[in-house]
Each structure stands twice: as C-alpha cells, then as structure tokens.
Amino acid sequence: EVQLVESGGGLVKPGGSLRLSCAASGFTLSNTYMNWVRQAPGGGLEWVGLIKNNADRGTTVYAAPVKGRFTISRDDSRNTLYLQMNSLETGDTAVYYCVTEGVGTFNIWGQGTMVTVSS
Amino acid sequence: QSALTQPPSASGSPGQSVSISCTGTSSDVGGYNYVSWYQQHPGKAPKLLIYDVTKRPSGVPDRFSGFKSGNTASLTVSGLQADDEADYYCSSYTGNTNRLYVFGTGTTVTVL
C-alpha cells in the first residue's frame, strides 16, 4: 500500500527554522515527482514546491512566496522526502502535506503536519 | 496570479445533483487539460476525485464527473449522499515556475 507519513511540525518563532520529513512506503520516492502543499488554518490549499524524479535529475521548483527560504530534498536510502524551512514568517503557519504527483495532478496525500510560526 | 474562483458553498438533498464551478484564465484552466478536483473532509487530507479534467482514479464512484469549457471547469456530484458533505477544491497546472500549480478557493458542499 502506498503511504506517506509526515513529521517534524511544531511551534517555531518568526525567523526560525524547521525541517519536515515525509516517509514513503509502497513505492520508490526517487522514481516519483514529489510535492509539498500547505493549507493555512481555515484556508485553502497552496502549492509550495516540488522535486522531480532521478530521471529528471531531481530538479526542484518553488512557489514565489517560499523561494530562497525553503529547500526540498530527498534521501533515497531512507525513501524520505524533506522540506527545510528557514526564515519562517507568521504567514507560513499551515498544515504541510507531502503529495505524489502524476502528470498535472496530485495523487496520494500524507496526513499532514502542522507548523505554527508565532512569537 | 490569484487562486481559481469557486463558489463558497453549494447544497442539495440526498439523491440530487450539485455542480461546482472553477474559473481561471487562459494561463491555467483554459491553457491546459490538467485540471483536478479534490475532496476534503474536516480534519482529513484531500483526496483526488478527478484528474485531466474528466478522468476518475480507480475507486472513485462514477457519481463524480468533470468537465471544462474555456477557462471554467466544473465538478458534478450526482446522487448526493451524506458522505459527500465536504470541501471541494479544483487545481490547475499553470506552467509558471513561480506558481506551477494553482488551487481553487474551495467550495463547501452541504447535504440537506
């Protein structure tokens, strides 16, 4: 069974850093385009960024609001996806989901992990 | 580039049909056949319902159907059931690397 389990969320002060993890099972991360999508409390969904599969050299693409602050990476030996978040702002408060991507669509979603940026 | 526009709410009685619109621009919905729809129950992760405008993943009932005309896509839920009460979001590929995907504003469906 394909499964994604996020972890690493929590409370952090503005300007701080946090690293989220997404452990994958039932498939090989390195063969798959993987995305992070977030959802602010009571709000809608927002695409954060993606990492392409190894065939496409693991290239990363980021949404403008997080470019330069967030970094997506992958540990193939652990079949785990990461989201390193630096210079966090209150507007980054959200549930963060890791999601597999088919062509132009988001197939499998993790359960999400909550990140709260507050002083 | 704003979120795709959806009506905030929609409702119907059990057995009836409800349709939700998703309006974008020629740079997203109108420019690509990569429109998807997701269902989200409270406190849960979204679930894929429709992809490539009209296609259903295995396991999704044929009560859910998608359509697109110009810059507007739509999701129809036929034969409404109590479990269909949820939030629904559309999304579209944009080709813009600053915002590769855009989501809709979300629609809350109530089963009366």
Side-chain angles (χ1 to χ4, degrees):
Chain A
E1 180 192 4
V2 172
Q3 192 172 13
L4 298 166
V5 178
E6 300 97 333
S7 60
L11 174 64
V12 61
K13 289 180 167 53
S17 298
L18 206 59
R19 188 179 81 158
L20 307 182
S21 300
C22 170
S25 57
F27 71 103
T28 302
L29 263 186
S30 59
N31 293 339
T32 309
Y33 279 39
M34 292 296 299
N35 290 255
W36 287 95
V37 174
R38 67 184 180 184
Q39 185 171 33
L45 300 168
E46 180 184 19
W47 177 76
V48 172
L50 72 84
I51 184 167
K52 299 181 181 181
N53 57 21
N54 278 353
D56 289 326
R57 296 176 296 168
T59 304
T60 51
V61 184
Y62 300 95
V66 308
K67 192 178 293 185
R69 299 187 300 123
F70 289 14
T71 302
I72 299 174
S73 62
R74 194 175 60 215
D75 184 336
D76 292 346
S77 67
R78 296 177 184 270
N79 214 34
T80 299
L81 179 74
Y82 300 102
L83 179 65
Q84 176 67 44
M85 303 184 293
N86 299 330
S87 303
L88 281 161
E89 304 166 353
T90 54
D92 296 319
T93 294
V95 174
Y96 284 75
Y97 297 99
C98 64
V99 197
T100 68
E101 181 186 334
V103 179
T105 194
F106 302 109
N107 296 321
I108 307 296
W109 297 64
Q111 88 287 353
T113 186
M114 182 70 204
V115 173
T116 303
V117 184
S118 174
S119 54
Chain B
Q1 193 170 16
S2 303
L4 306 176
T5 301
Q6 297 180 231
S9 62
S11 62
S13 299
Q16 290 187 330
S17 295
V18 65
S19 289
I20 303 166
S21 62
C22 168
T23 301
T25 70
S26 58
S27 296
D28 38 64
V29 174
Y32 303 91
N33 285 325
Y34 292 136
V35 175
S36 303
W37 289 90
Y38 305 88
Q39 178 191 61
Q40 185 178 35
H41 287 106
K44 300 293 188 181
K47 171 192 169 186
L48 177 64
L49 287 178
I50 297 287
Y51 67 101
D52 292 356
V53 180
T54 61
K55 298 175 182 175
R56 279 177 288 104
S58 61
V60 174
D62 60 5
R63 301 186 298 105
F64 295 92
S65 60
F67 178 76
K68 188 185 87 166
S69 177
N71 297 336
T72 299
S74 62
L75 172 73
T76 297
V77 185
S78 305
L80 268 175
Q81 300 178 1
D83 189 53
D84 297 335
E85 189 161 289
D87 292 332
Y88 292 80
Y89 293 92
C90 60
S91 79
S92 175
Y93 177 78
T94 72
N96 179 344
T97 55
N98 284 319
R99 195 177 188 178
L100 206 55
Y101 288 95
V102 61
F103 285 93
T105 49
T107 299
T108 298
V109 169
T110 301
V111 181
L112 302 171

